Amino acid sequence: MPDPLLLQGLVDEALKLGASYAEARFHRLSSLQAIMINGAVIGAGEDVSEGVAVRVLLEGGMGFSATTDLSGEALREAVRRAVASARSAASYMKRPIRMGPGRLGRAKYSVEPKKPFQDVSLDAKLADLKDMYSGLELSRNGFKISNVTINYSETVEEKIIVNSDGAFVESMVPRLTVFYNMSASTGDRSANRWNQIGGSGGYELVRELRVGEQMKDDVESLYVNLVKAGSPPKGRMDVVLGPEIVALAMHESAGHPSEADRILGREAAQAGMSFRATYKDDVIGSEHATVIDDPTIPGSSGFYLYDDEGVAAGPRILYDKGRLAGMLHNRETAAVYGVESNAAARAMNYASEPIVRMANTYMAPGTYSFEELVEDVREGVYIKKYMEWNIDDIRWGQRYVGLEAYLIRNGRIGEPVRNIALEVTTKEFYSSIDAVGKDLVFYAGTCGKGEPPQGVPVWFGGPHIRMREVNLR
Amino acid sequence: MVWGTAYKDEGGEPEVSGMSLAERISETLSGLVDEHLVKVRETNWLMVKIAGGEVSVIQSWRKSIVDIYVAKDARIGMLSFEATGVEDAVKRIPSLLSVLKPSPFYAPLPEPTGKPLSSTDEKIIEIVRSGEVADRLGELGVDELGNAAGKIDFAYRETRLIGSSGVDLGYRSTSFNGYMRVFREGRSGQWSWTSTKYDAGLARRALEKAVELAEECAKLPRERVEPGRYRVLISPMVAGNLIGDLVGAASAGMLIFGMSFLQGRKPGERVLSPRLTVIDKPLDTSLPGFSGFDDEGVATSNKPIFEEGVFKGFLHNSKTAKLLKAETTGNAGWIMPRPFNLEVAEGDMKPGEMMEMLGDGLYLTNNWYTRFQNYLEGRFSTVSRDAAFVVKGGKPKACVERVRIADLMPRLFSSVEAVGSDPWQIEWWEVRTPTRIPHILLGEAGITLPS
C-alpha cells in the first residue's frame, strides 16, 4: 500500500491545476484461482490488479484517469490527464456536474477472516474441492452428470481513498467465491446448472456457505428436472416463489431501477434506463413488498462501510410497503436530486470510475412459514430454482425459467414440472405478492454495469413469497 | 515499460515498449519451469462517455498487463498482472506448481509459426497521446445529436509474446470504436461502429443510423404483439450479438466445459441454413481484433466456422486439440479458444428488399441480456431494446416495445431466409468480438413478452 500522503499530494496537485474537486484512489485486488474439471485441477494461478485512479471536476466537466505505474512521474501525469480530460468535457457541458453532500469519513476498517486464506495451503483447498466433486452422485437411472467445472477464487481487496472534501478511508476486504457449472443429461434431454456462492471473509466460508451441500442439492435439482418432471401448466395461477428467484428479482427489478444514475440516463446506452424515470404513480406493489439495499451486512459479498467516494454506508429502503421509496445515490446524482449521497459509489478496480451500484439487495421477510404459504394455494406452482433469466433495459419486463418446480394442489406440493417460465412486468410481480415468508436467504452474484464494464460482487436475498394469479408459460 | 517512452518526440514510428520487462520475466522463468509464455500488453486508451447529449466523463488509461503461462511436469499455472511487482510474483511460481497435479489439459507448447501483423493509425495515436478530443467530437457531429448517450473510444496497444517455445512476436494496433443511443420523443435507436483506423465517415454513418431508427420509430404508433412464432428481420446489432454466442459454442473449450450445443456435431455436418457463412478473420487488419498469432504463438488464419450452414470444426488451442485429438486452429486463449474478428458473408439483398421479403413480421434493431437456459441444447432468450418495428406488407407500421426472442440457437439460424448486402462493422456492450455483419432475415423465431 502506498503512503496516503502520496495520494493526498495527487489531490493537491489536481486542485493546483484548477480542479474544483479531486479524488485519488489506490486500489489493489489480488486473487488466487483454481479451475477443476471432473475432479482434476486443470490449472491454478494468481491475478493481481493494482493502480491509482484520479478523478476530478473542473468547470463542471469530469475527467478520470488511471495507471498501473506507481512512480511519482506517472502519477503526476495521471493527474494532468484527468484535469485535461475534465477541461475538455467541460466545453461540452450544459449542466455542470457537482458533488452533492455526503457523510464523508476518515476511517480505516477491515474484515477479519476467521480462517485467513494464507493459513490454509493450496493443497488443502484443492483437496476440499476434490472431495466436493467426489461427494456428488453423478449417475443413476439413466441420468448422468457429464461435466462438473468448479472455479475457486479468493480475493483480497485493498483501497485507500482520499478526496479534496476531506475523506480518507483505508479498507481491506477478503472475499471467497466458488462458481460451478454442471451439465446433465438423460436420454435425449439435457440441462445445465450454473451457480455462484460467495461472501466476505476467509476460507471458513467454504463450510459456512455449505458449498459442497449446495452442489449436491443442485445435482438433485437437475435429476428432478430431467427424470421426474412433467410438462408445465400454462396460464394464470398462484405461484410460490423460492428465495433464489425472489433474491434475483430484487436485484433486477428493485435494485437496478432504483439506481439514480440510470434514472437520469447516465447509463442509457449501456445497462439501460429505469421505469422510475417516467413512472407516474408511486405504488409499485402490494403492502408486502419492501426492498432494502444494505452494504453493511457482515459476511456479504457486497460488504463495505464507506463507498468509493468516502461516504459512510447504511441501509437504503428502495420499495417501502409497495411504494417507490429511496434511490441509490453517489455524490453526483445526490447533487442533481438535492439529497445526501447514500454511499452507493463503487468501482470494480483501479481502472474503473466509481458509479452507482447496489451492494446487498433483499426483500424484507414477513411472517409466513413455507407450509403456510403453500396451504392456501388451491392450484398453482412452486418454483424453487431458476436456470435462465433476463430483464429489459428499463427493468420492467422480466423472465425467469424454473430449473426445479412443482405443482401445488389443494395446499400440498405435488409432482415436479419442467422448465416453467414466469414472464411478468415489475408492477405485476410486486403487486401479486400477498404473503411473504419469514425466512431470508442470500445469494452471491457479480453485477455488471458501466463502460468499460465493471463487475462488482453483490449479494441478493429474499424469503419465499406467494404471488396470486400470475402468468406462466 | 514507462509508456511515455514508447513515443518518439518527432511523432515517428513508436517503438514497442514492454520489451525489456517481457525478456526479464522470460529469462527468470527459464530457470524455474519447463515451459513458459509471457504476454505483455501496453494500452493507452481514451474514452469519451456521453449521456443526455453531454459528455458525462472522459476517461483515460495507461495500463500494463502481463499474462504468464507456466508448465512444469505437466502442471499448469497462470498469472495475470495488471500491476507492478510481477517480477516478485514470478518467484512464487515454483511453490504454486509444486502442490498441483499433472493437468489433463496439458499439452506441450506448439511450434511458434505466427507472424507479426501490425496496423496503426497515427491520428488515433495522436488523439490518445494528447487527450485532445474536442475537434473529433465536433467532426463526428456529436453535439448535433440532441438527446443521446453512448461512448467513443480511441486506443493504442502494443502486444509482445515471448516464451520457451522460441516464440518472440510483437505487434501494434489502434482502434476507434463506439456506439450511440439517440432518443426522439420517448423512442430510441442505437448503432455502433468499429475500426482500426480513425474513420469519421464510418462513425457518422452509425450515428445517422441511430438517429434514423429513433425518428422512424417516433413517427409510428405503438402496438402490442402477442407471443408466438414470427418472421423476424434482425439488424447487424442483434445478429452480431447472437452470432457471437453461436460462435462461442464452436470453441472447443465450451465443448469440454459441457456448455456447447454443438456437442455431438461433426465437422462437415449441416447445422445452420445454407445461406449462412460465418468466418473467423484474424488477418483482417480493418477490424480491431486482428492478430498474426494466437496466445501460443501459432499462426492465425482466416477460416469459415460455418460455411453455407456446414459446421467446419471447433476452434482449438494446443490443449483442447490434444484432448479432442485434433489440430490447433491458431485460436488460443491459454485455456479457452476464441475467435479474433468475425464476419458473416454478405448476401445479395438490400435491407429494403429484405423488408419486402419479410412481409409480415418484426424488425428488431437492438437487443441485450442474452441468457442460456440450456447451453447443451442452445435454448436461450434475449430482450429487444430501442427501435423494434411491426412490419406489415413489407412496411414498418408500428413500434413494439421490448419483446423477447426465446428459441433454440440452431433452429433460429437454420431458418435464415436471406442475408443482406449491407455489412456493418459492429462492436459494443453486447458484441464483444469485432464483427462485420449485415441484416439477417429469420424465417421464424419464438417471440414472448409479459402479458
Side-chain angles (χ1 to χ4, degrees):
Chain A
M1 299 272 268
D3 185 340
L5 289 176
L6 177 72
L7 299 178
Q8 185 63 54
L10 300 179
V11 167
D12 294 342
E13 176 80 10
L15 296 179
K16 263 191 238 162
L17 292 171
S20 57
Y21 168 83
E23 72 189 22
R25 170 170 41 92
F26 167 80
H27 203 147
R28 175 184 170 89
L29 286 157
S30 55
S31 67
L32 173 71
Q33 307 202 16
I35 306 174
M36 177 179 277
I37 296 184
N38 294 341
V41 177
I42 65 166
E46 286 182 31
D47 279 7
V48 178
S49 82
E50 177 188 272
V52 166
V54 177
R55 190 172 67 145
V56 306
L57 287 182
L58 191 153
E59 295 168 8
M62 183 179 280
F64 172 93
S65 73
T67 180
T68 51
D69 188 338
L70 302 185
S71 67
E73 178 49 36
L75 293 173
R76 283 189 294 277
E77 170 62 15
V79 171
R80 286 193 290 274
R81 279 188 289 121
V83 169
S85 291
R87 190 167 275 124
S88 279
S91 64
Y92 268 78
M93 300 301 294
K94 300 177 195 83
R95 293 158 293 181
I97 295 168
R98 291 182 298 116
M99 287 291 168
R103 288 188 302 127
L104 296 174
R106 297 186 69 80
K108 183 172 179 174
Y109 70 95
S110 60
V111 169
E112 297 303 328
K114 294 176 197 159
K115 198 182 279 190
F117 295 130
Q118 64 271 23
D119 289 359
V120 183
S121 70
L122 177 58
D123 209 12
K125 290 166 186 167
L126 297 176
D128 284 345
L129 294 183
K130 180 82 186 284
D131 285 348
M132 287 174 206
Y133 172 75
S134 302
L136 303 176
E137 188 176 354
L138 296 174
S139 148
R140 64 190 131 136
N141 303 334
F143 166 84
K144 188 179 173 198
I145 304 265
S146 56
N147 186 294
V148 180
T149 302
I150 306 172
N151 189 332
Y152 169 86
S153 171
E154 58 185 45
T155 301
V156 178
E157 182 173 33
E158 297 163 278
K159 289 186 271 192
I160 303 174
I161 296 156
V162 177
N163 73 30
S164 57
D165 290 340
F168 169 83
V169 178
E170 190 172 339
S171 64
M172 190 279 290
V173 178
R175 290 188 188 86
L176 179 141
T177 310
V178 177
F179 309 87
Y180 57 83
N181 178 63
M182 299 174 177
S183 305
S185 60
T186 177
D188 58 350
R189 286 201 205 102
S190 60
N192 293 100
R193 169 63 170 176
W194 188 94
N195 203 0
Q196 177 176 346
I197 300 168
S200 55
Y203 194 71
E204 71 278 2
L205 292 170
V206 170
R207 301 265 179 279
E208 290 178 2
L209 297 173
R210 303 172 56 253
V211 177
E213 288 82 352
Q214 289 204 51
M215 290 177 73
K216 286 181 189 172
D217 195 58
D218 283 339
V219 170
E220 287 310 303
S221 297
L222 287 165
Y223 184 75
V224 167
N225 181 292
L226 289 174
V227 177
K228 294 184 166 178
S231 298
K234 293 186 178 177
R236 290 200 169 271
M237 61 190 68
D238 295 347
V239 170
V240 173
L241 216 51
E244 180 177 294
I245 305 176
V246 175
L248 180 65
M250 296 310 102
H251 179 90
E252 300 291 6
S253 61
H256 273 307
S258 300
E259 293 163 343
D261 59 342
R262 183 189 288 268
I263 295 166
L264 290 169
R266 194 183 190 268
E267 295 294 317
Q270 294 89 23
M273 301 176 72
S274 169
F275 72 86
R276 288 184 70 162
T278 53
Y279 198 66
K280 305 288 185 219
D281 197 358
D282 71 340
V283 175
I284 192 64
S286 76
E287 60 184 354
H288 306 286
T290 292
V291 185
I292 300 156
D293 186 90
D294 185 356
T296 65
I297 297 174
S300 61
S301 289
F303 177 82
Y304 60 86
L305 295 180
Y306 293 85
D307 77 356
D308 288 342
E309 292 176 336
V311 178
R316 294 82 62 122
I317 299 176
L318 308 178
Y319 296 172
D320 189 7
K321 296 176 182 159
R323 292 184 178 273
L324 297 178
M327 298 173 186
L328 295 169
H329 285 289
N330 62 7
R331 293 184 65 198
E332 180 184 349
T333 64
V336 175
Y337 282 94
V339 298
E340 260 199 8
S341 166
N342 52 21
R346 298 181 71 185
M348 175 179 74
N349 59 16
Y350 82 92
S352 304
E353 59 165 340
I355 56 175
V356 175
R357 308 305 298 259
M358 282 172 270
N360 306 300
T361 315
Y362 66 96
M363 174 173 274
T367 57
Y368 283 69
S369 69
F370 176 67
E371 291 73 22
E372 287 169 337
L373 291 172
V374 172
E375 72 185 10
D376 200 23
V377 175
R378 198 172 66 81
E379 189 171 357
V381 176
Y382 166 45
I383 312 178
K384 186 177 173 186
K385 295 181 183 179
Y386 66 90
M387 52 186 168
E388 174 205 318
W389 87 100
N390 51 27
I391 188 164
D392 67 35
D393 66 304
I394 60 166
R395 304 282 159 179
W396 189 247
Q398 57 212 282
R399 170 182 162 103
Y400 309 93
V401 179
L403 168 68
E404 185 180 352
Y406 301 85
L407 295 175
I408 303 174
R409 285 207 188 92
N410 299 319
R412 289 177 181 275
I413 297 291
E415 309 86 74
V417 291
R418 181 179 303 121
N419 302 359
I420 194 160
L422 173 67
E423 194 163 353
V424 291
T425 64
T426 294
K427 176 127 193 190
E428 264 182 288
F429 186 100
Y430 292 95
S431 300
S432 66
I433 301 169
D434 84 329
V436 176
K438 59 188 174 188
D439 53 344
L440 174 59
V441 186
F442 285 98
Y443 301 84
T446 304
C447 176
K449 189 178 171 183
E451 184 67 278
Q454 300 187 42
V456 295
V458 295
W459 263 9
F460 26 84
H464 284 87
I465 62 171
R466 187 172 63 213
M467 308 166 79
R468 295 296 191 188
E469 291 288 305
V470 288
N471 199 33
L472 298 172
R473 299 191 193 287
Chain B
M1 190 61 179
V2 178
W3 183 267
T5 61
Y7 296 100
K8 290 188 173 175
D9 289 339
E10 65 274 22
E13 184 71 11
E15 295 170 359
V16 172
S17 57
M19 289 285 193
S20 57
L21 176 70
E23 280 158 6
R24 282 200 308 276
I25 295 170
S26 181
E27 198 174 308
T28 306
L29 286 169
S30 296
L32 299 175
V33 294
D34 300 338
E35 293 177 299
H36 71 269
L37 291 167
V38 181
K39 184 176 178 184
V40 178
R41 285 170 289 162
E42 302 275 359
T43 301
N44 193 350
W45 181 10
L46 181 77
M47 178 188 291
V48 182
K49 210 171 154 189
I50 291 153
E54 299 181 282
V55 172
S56 58
V57 63
I58 297 177
Q59 303 179 82
S60 65
W61 299 269
R62 295 198 172 171
K63 298 165 67 160
S64 172
I65 304 173
V66 181
D67 294 315
I68 298 171
Y69 166 88
V70 290
K72 185 169 188 178
D73 300 328
R75 300 166 166 94
I76 292 176
M78 276 171 285
L79 277 74
S80 180
F81 258 74
E82 197 169 325
T84 52
V86 61
E87 288 170 274
D88 289 335
V90 164
K91 293 171 189 156
R92 296 196 294 272
I93 285 174
S95 67
L96 172 74
L97 292 179
S98 67
V99 300
L100 302 179
K101 300 220 165 21
S103 169
F105 249 56
Y106 173 76
L109 287 179
E111 185 186 343
T113 53
K115 297 274 187 283
L117 182 66
S118 286
S119 175
T120 57
D121 181 342
E122 286 302 320
K123 202 175 264 184
I124 294 174
I125 293 174
E126 175 54 26
I127 291 166
V128 292
R129 190 192 63 76
S130 68
E132 295 296 333
V133 290
D135 288 351
R136 302 284 82 81
L137 297 180
E139 190 176 9
L140 300 178
V142 170
D143 50 352
E144 294 157 18
L145 292 172
N147 188 3
K151 72 125 188 188
I152 303 170
D153 247 16
F154 307 88
Y156 172 59
R157 295 185 179 85
E158 297 177 355
T159 303
R160 176 98 186 275
L161 181 70
I162 185 167
S164 58
S165 60
V167 63
D168 188 355
L169 295 162
Y171 71 104
R172 301 183 189 90
S173 60
T174 48
S175 61
F176 167 54
N177 58 43
Y179 52 80
M180 202 63 66
R181 184 178 191 183
V182 174
F183 295 87
R184 295 290 185 269
E185 297 172 34
R187 313 291 177 84
S188 61
Q190 185 159 344
W191 213 263
S192 80
W193 74 92
T194 188
S195 175
T196 51
K197 309 291 182 196
Y198 178 75
D199 183 343
L202 183 79
R204 273 200 303 268
R205 281 194 295 281
L207 300 180
E208 285 162 10
K209 190 71 184 170
V211 171
E212 176 195 318
L213 290 170
E215 289 182 346
E216 186 162 3
C217 201
K219 279 189 270 182
L220 295 170
R222 286 172 206 253
E223 188 174 306
R224 185 184 155 76
V225 298
E226 292 304 314
R229 297 198 71 76
Y230 286 77
R231 294 167 60 72
V232 178
L233 178 62
I234 55 174
S235 76
M237 296 279 282
V238 179
N241 171 258
L242 299 180
I243 290 290
D245 279 323
L246 183 76
V247 168
S251 165
M254 290 292 273
L255 178 68
I256 291 164
F257 286 115
M259 297 174 77
S260 171
F261 53 82
L262 292 168
Q263 178 175 299
R265 301 290 194 157
K266 298 276 185 291
E269 197 174 332
R270 182 178 301 286
V271 295
L272 308 174
S273 161
R275 295 179 180 86
L276 202 58
T277 293
V278 183
I279 308 161
D280 177 31
K281 295 198 84 173
L283 302 179
D284 183 342
T285 56
S286 65
L287 292 172
F290 78 87
S291 178
F293 55 92
D294 71 3
D295 285 353
E296 295 178 326
V298 172
T300 56
S301 63
N302 295 342
K303 58 196 165 299
I305 302 168
F306 303 95
E307 188 168 32
E308 296 180 351
V310 173
F311 178 46
K312 301 300 283 183
F314 287 98
L315 302 179
H316 281 290
N317 57 26
S318 65
K319 292 167 178 58
T320 61
K322 184 188 161 209
L323 276 172
L324 300 175
K325 299 182 174 56
E327 297 292 322
T328 178
T329 55
N331 288 91
W334 289 334
I335 295 292
M336 193 70 90
R338 51 156 180 126
F340 291 84
N341 294 313
L342 290 173
E343 180 177 283
V344 167
E346 61 189 88
D348 54 5
M349 293 191 83
K350 293 177 183 159
E353 295 169 335
M354 295 179 86
M355 195 78 101
E356 276 179 33
M357 189 174 177
L358 170 66
D360 295 345
L362 302 175
Y363 172 34
L364 306 183
T365 66
N366 199 13
N367 70 310
W368 86 320
Y369 228 129
T370 304
R371 287 289 183 281
F372 280 81
Q373 178 189 130
N374 185 322
Y375 283 96
L376 291 164
E377 295 173 5
R379 190 174 293 281
F380 76 100
S381 74
T382 189
V383 194
S384 73
R385 56 190 271 179
D386 302 301
F389 300 93
V390 178
V391 178
K392 291 176 185 164
K395 305 279 183 209
K397 295 292 185 186
C399 261
V400 60
E401 293 193 339
R402 302 178 183 92
V403 298
R404 277 181 180 75
I405 296 177
D407 215 316
L408 288 159
M409 193 67 81
R411 180 167 70 191
L412 193 75
F413 283 109
S414 291
S415 78
V416 171
E417 291 186 358
V419 177
S421 59
D422 60 331
W424 293 79
Q425 295 182 182
I426 300 292
E427 184 181 1
W428 84 287
W429 234 57
E430 298 286 356
V431 183
R432 292 288 168 196
T433 303
T435 302
R436 183 180 294 110
I437 190 165
H439 281 78
I440 294 177
L441 177 57
L442 303 169
E444 63 169 336
I447 296 292
T448 71
L449 66 162
S451 53

